[in-house]
Amino acid sequence: MGPIGIFGGTFDPIHYGHLRTALELLEGLSLAEVRFIPCSQQPFRDQPIATNDVRLSMAKVAVESEARFSVDARELERGGASYSVDTLTGLRAEHQDRSLCLLLGMDAFLSLPSWRRWEELIGLAHIVVAHRPGWQAPIEGVLGKLVREHSTEVPRDLSTSRSGRVFITPVTQLEISATRLRKFIREGSDPKYLVPKGVWVIIAETGCYSGERVGGVND
Ligand code: ATP
């Protein structure tokens, strides 16, 4: 069985940048599936604007058309701050013999040293980094060391071992950000073609972003 891809994020809202990246990684790396895991609260970041239920519904509707995508609500169910090390520890216990691939955008990868017990992640999963516009692979510091010691350019390495490799790969660059999307919506613009239709319907029906103030507090 191919590796399981783990795509975590705030998904506030999920958009085509997330979905296209996940699909290209799934196909390029022969992943068996990709699980999207919306986080509950992210340490060191503004809290999500849409409620947990709405973010979960948007993620579910977004993956409906791809059988190899699914949504895993464990971080929302756990509540409190979401730490990838806890999530991967749980997944590793459930899938002892499977390869796990933590899928990250380059911006998320560059912030890795601020994540709780981040050095343990590479022992639990492979780390796959998708390039985003304007971001470069680190060559210095602790991340440069991680890349030098664990990097591979051979996709098969991600299937033949369960964890321990870093794979950095370009993907089609869709410069969509959830923060910019919410701003658009707040200003009355239409997010059509940036998010799947079902996501746009939920945004319109719930009005979840129309009252967002600068500073990230709901009206
Ligand atoms: P925000 O603009 O609020 O930071 P975001 O759009 O970056 O939100 P997140 O939910 O924070 O979305 O991101 C989850 C993951 O998706 C991260 O690993 C991030 O690097 C990646 N990601 C976000 N946007 C894109 C994009 N346009 N293309 C590829 N990867 C992306």
Side-chain angles (χ1 to χ4, degrees):
M1 278 233 247
I4 302 173
I6 315 292
F7 201 121
T10 315
F11 303 133
D12 190 21
I14 194 165
H15 54 63
Y16 279 132
H18 303 129
L19 295 160
R20 181 70 210 171
T21 297
L23 185 68
E24 290 189 15
L25 295 177
L26 179 118
E27 293 192 330
L29 306 178
S30 304
L31 306 181
E33 54 173 299
V34 174
R35 298 189 192 176
F36 291 82
I37 308 191
C39 66
S40 174
Q41 295 166 16
Q42 274 201 324
F44 315 120
R45 284 190 59 164
D46 288 339
Q47 295 316 309
I49 303 302
T51 63
N52 289 353
D53 285 348
V54 170
R55 285 186 298 122
L56 182 61
S57 305
M58 292 191 289
K60 282 185 174 164
V61 82
V63 304
E64 261 171 9
S65 60
E66 172 50 65
R68 295 165 296 176
F69 284 178
S70 63
V71 177
D72 180 328
R74 70 182 65 214
E75 292 191 356
L76 297 176
E77 286 159 7
R78 200 162 59 218
S82 298
Y83 295 108
S84 296
V85 68
D86 298 333
T87 302
L88 288 180
T89 300
L91 285 163
R92 175 48 71 211
E94 290 162 28
H95 304 283
Q96 299 191 4
D97 299 327
R98 294 286 296 276
S99 160
L100 300 177
C101 290
L102 180 65
L103 312 180
L104 301 174
M106 184 61 82
D107 59 331
F109 182 62
L110 294 179
S111 74
L112 208 63
S114 68
W115 296 18
R116 185 183 201 212
R117 293 166 42 205
W118 72 276
E119 296 99 328
E120 294 174 35
L121 298 175
I122 194 73
L124 292 164
H126 300 298
I127 297 178
V128 172
V129 186
H131 286 282
R132 283 183 79 180
W135 297 91
Q136 301 248 317
I139 46 170
E140 290 177 352
V142 286
L143 283 182
K145 185 167 178 284
L146 182 81
V147 171
R148 275 194 306 281
E149 289 176 356
H150 296 273
S151 161
T152 179
E153 292 178 3
V154 182
R156 231 178 85 74
D157 288 346
L158 305 177
S159 299
T160 52
S161 56
R162 299 181 326 152
S163 61
R165 309 309 298 258
V166 174
F167 187 90
I168 302 180
T169 183
V171 291
T172 299
Q173 302 192 342
L174 297 173
E175 206 171 350
I176 306 172
S177 100
T179 304
R180 284 223 328 267
L181 248 168
R182 295 195 306 269
K183 183 165 180 286
F184 255 33
I185 296 163
R186 216 168 51 236
E187 292 169 353
S189 298
D190 190 336
K192 196 155 65 178
Y193 308 132
L194 296 173
V195 297
K197 183 164 182 226
V199 172
W200 170 226
V201 169
I202 292 174
I203 292 171
E205 280 178 4
T206 60
C208 55
Y209 301 125
S210 36
E212 183 187 352
R213 289 197 200 99
V214 177
V217 182
N218 268 327
D219 271 343

